Amino acid sequence: MGKGNNPASERRGKVFLVGAGPGDPELLTVKAQRLISQAALILHDDLVAPAILALAAPHAEVANVGKRFGAKGATQAEINKRMIAAARRGLEVVRLKGGDPGIFGRLAEEIDALETAGVPFEVVPGVTAGIAAAASLGVSLTDRRKAARVVVVTNHLAHSEATPESTDWRGLIREDSTLVIYMPGHDFAALRDQLLAAGCPLDMPAAIVSRASLPDQRYRFITAGELDGLPPIDSPAVLLVGRSLDRAQRRANSSAALALDEAEFILSSLEA
């Protein structure tokens, strides 16, 4: 049989490990958007925005395989098995991950599985939540006057390997660093105590950003010493800590003071 007479049997599938960015469809890379629109199978994380999933082709199978903390979802082994089986059937598969697939997205485990199975794959980067959170606040994570390095860390580690308390904060806290903490959890009082015990100054600027880039984004500027006063924050959330936040924090405080002055002026005018 000549080459091309039976394309279905000769077609080789491929898995694309794609970063969906922080949620805003306009922050998708052009390549990610194209792959989503042409994939036969999309296996997506739980937190991928509906507006991004809406870009899938009408014929595509779209499946939520998310694994949220405290909720049952597909196991990593099940996800790996499904990716491999579809690719072996000649399908183009998009494994769609929130943010960038290489930042706390279990990318290494999926690469290992695909390599072991001999399945072709490609990694497509995306805008990670920490970058999006900083951008939404008008913050540069690096500043040659204040922040010579950026430290990316998670406050939620796999229980089989370690607990959140095992994070070596003392090795991460420095005056010339910006700390980007993914999955900060809800026990901000405990996190505050750990950071302070590691040498973080009480007055170190910090900001918590929830659902960065989305219409319902929320944020709050604080200091490291005020972390224990934070209420529970909607996921996904990122905590930024460092002197690089100084200017944005002052700007936010000035705006809040101006808004308060305007409200008091309006109220006094109505009373008069």
Side-chain angles (χ1 to χ4, degrees):
M1 184 178 293
K3 184 177 180 180
N5 289 341
N6 190 1
S9 64
E10 297 176 359
R11 185 176 64 230
R12 193 180 187 196
K14 185 174 181 179
V15 175
F16 294 90
L17 304 155
V18 179
D24 182 352
E26 293 188 346
L27 293 180
L28 282 170
T29 65
V30 174
K31 187 168 189 175
Q33 186 172 5
R34 175 177 61 79
L35 290 171
I36 293 169
S37 69
Q38 67 187 31
L41 172 63
I42 297 175
L43 303 174
H44 67 90
D45 285 350
D46 190 64
L47 292 174
V48 173
I52 291 176
L53 298 177
L55 299 173
H59 67 272
E61 179 184 356
V62 180
N64 185 344
V65 294
K67 302 181 293 298
R68 297 193 67 174
F69 184 67
K72 185 177 181 181
T75 66
Q76 190 60 57
E78 290 169 344
I79 295 171
N80 296 344
K81 183 177 180 180
R82 192 163 181 181
M83 286 191 300
I84 292 166
R88 284 176 171 169
R89 295 201 312 271
L91 300 180
E92 187 169 293
V93 181
V94 164
R95 173 68 176 101
L96 195 57
K97 298 170 173 288
D100 181 274
I103 304 294
F104 305 123
R106 303 185 74 168
L107 175 65
E109 297 171 52
E110 295 181 355
I111 287 176
D112 287 349
L114 294 169
E115 284 185 331
T116 299
V119 171
F121 69 89
E122 182 178 337
V123 179
V124 181
V127 176
T128 187
I131 300 296
S136 72
L137 301 178
V139 167
S140 174
L141 293 177
T142 61
D143 184 329
R144 63 179 183 171
R145 300 161 298 181
K146 300 177 181 180
R149 66 175 189 164
V150 177
V151 179
V152 179
V153 65
T154 175
N155 194 40
H156 169 60
L157 303 176
H159 291 290
S160 60
E161 300 171 2
T163 61
E165 289 73 24
S166 69
T167 301
D168 182 13
W169 296 108
R170 191 172 299 278
L172 303 177
I173 300 296
R174 279 178 30 175
E175 277 284 336
D176 66 345
S177 298
T178 302
L179 199 58
V180 182
I181 304 175
Y182 286 70
M183 294 171 276
H186 298 295
D187 191 353
F188 293 111
L191 180 57
R192 169 191 181 273
D193 292 344
Q194 292 169 35
L195 293 177
L196 297 184
C200 185
L202 282 167
D203 68 344
M204 182 70 82
I208 186 77
V209 183
S210 168
R211 300 179 62 77
S213 85
L214 294 171
D216 58 347
Q217 171 182 299
R218 297 290 182 270
Y219 69 89
R220 183 173 173 181
F221 283 98
I222 46 174
T223 64
E226 296 169 335
L227 276 170
D228 57 334
L230 279 178
I233 301 294
D234 290 337
S235 296
V238 178
L239 178 65
L240 308 177
V241 182
R243 298 294 179 195
S244 61
L245 279 71
D246 270 332
R247 183 181 295 275
Q249 187 177 53
R250 290 197 300 270
R251 185 169 65 239
N253 290 340
S254 297
S255 298
L258 180 60
L260 181 59
D261 288 344
E262 291 177 347
E264 290 177 345
F265 174 76
I266 293 172
L267 181 60
S268 63
S269 299
L270 292 173
E271 290 175 344

